[in-house]
Amino acid sequence: MSQYPALRLRRTRATGWSRRLHAETVITPADLIWPLFVTQGTEEEPIGALPGVSRWGLNGIVERAREARELGISCLALFPNTPSALRTEDGREALNPDNLMCCAIRAIKDAVPDIGVLTDVALDPYTSHGHDGIVDAAGYVLNDETSAVLTEQALVQAAAGADIVAPSDMMDGRVGQIRDVLEANGHRNVQIMAYAAKYASGFYGPFRDAVGSRGLLKGDKKTYQMDPANAEEALREVALDLAEGADSVMVKPGLPYLDIILRVKNAFEVPVFAYQVSGEYAMIEAAAAVGAGDRDTLVLETLMAFKRAGCSGVLTYHAPLAARLLGA
């Protein structure tokens, strides 16, 4: 016998207070990580492929940190736009304790010490060839040689004051090596957020403009980033990174891989983060610009999708907008 009308599921949707009371998933500004691009100089540099996103010098980065604190955003993720003159085959600028990344870390921690700083551990912002590591004569990214450099890079960032180092390179074994060197050098509370399931995606294009690596890349990254066809492999990658000492894991990109987020969360019950990448951001902005959707609604709905799938938090360029909407 039908339960209708004794059970009317629309009853709890009838008013705003009731919808809030019965919400199964909640997102707050504290769930957001705001990616920021660091550049030399003092001028703001708007990024054409990412409307509303800019590169910032150190003063601008500090102002964004203060803005984030006021909005209740928990953490900033930093990415440098290294000058072309400092990009080399071996990416040695990544190990410079006074590079853009390290200067930005120190500036933020001096001015806004209570906000988290997450740093990208990878060589693509520093190499002249645009790959995430050291390449051989055939253009193949060498795993162990790259991991050795990444380990030094993570140590340099931790010494500058990074709270979370996030290896995004997808080299095998690098998480364990980074954990060992952090422990050995007294950085026991520096977290590792491993880009555990980073796919070889078409959604990264605007990011490469932002860090100045578009046009440098020779070939593609399919020998180290994951095949979009694979899900079981993602679970193996996550298992390895957790066993090596990762505190949390990331799935990247975001919306096209909600199934991966859910499977990782269900399998491991650990903190899982998603990166709503530059191409995803640009698509929302393009839709809003032509009236195909309301920007505010699209932003909050996509962020809710990440939380519903099991994310502890989301890296998103929409972080300040979302925080204002959530705090309204």
Side-chain angles (χ1 to χ4, degrees), residues 251 253-263 274 302 305-306 308-309 311:
V251 175
L255 281 180
Y257 298 89
L258 288 177
D259 62 315
I260 306 301
I261 295 168
L262 180 60
R263 291 184 66 165
T302 54
F306 292 125
R308 196 178 63 244
C311 281

Side-chain angles (χ1 to χ4, degrees), residues 281-311:
Y281 171 92
M283 288 171 63
I284 290 175
E285 289 298 306
V290 299
D294 175 72
R295 177 184 285 104
D296 295 355
T297 302
L298 293 172
V299 167
L300 292 183
E301 187 174 343
T302 54
L303 293 176
M304 190 62 76
F306 292 125
K307 287 287 287 183
R308 196 178 63 244
C311 281

Side-chain angles (χ1 to χ4, degrees), residues 32-35 274-276 281 299 303 314-320 322:
L32 305 175
I33 299 175
W34 186 5
Y275 197 145
Q276 188 177 37
Y281 171 92
V299 167
L303 293 176
V314 184
L315 287 81
T316 175
Y317 304 99
H318 280 125

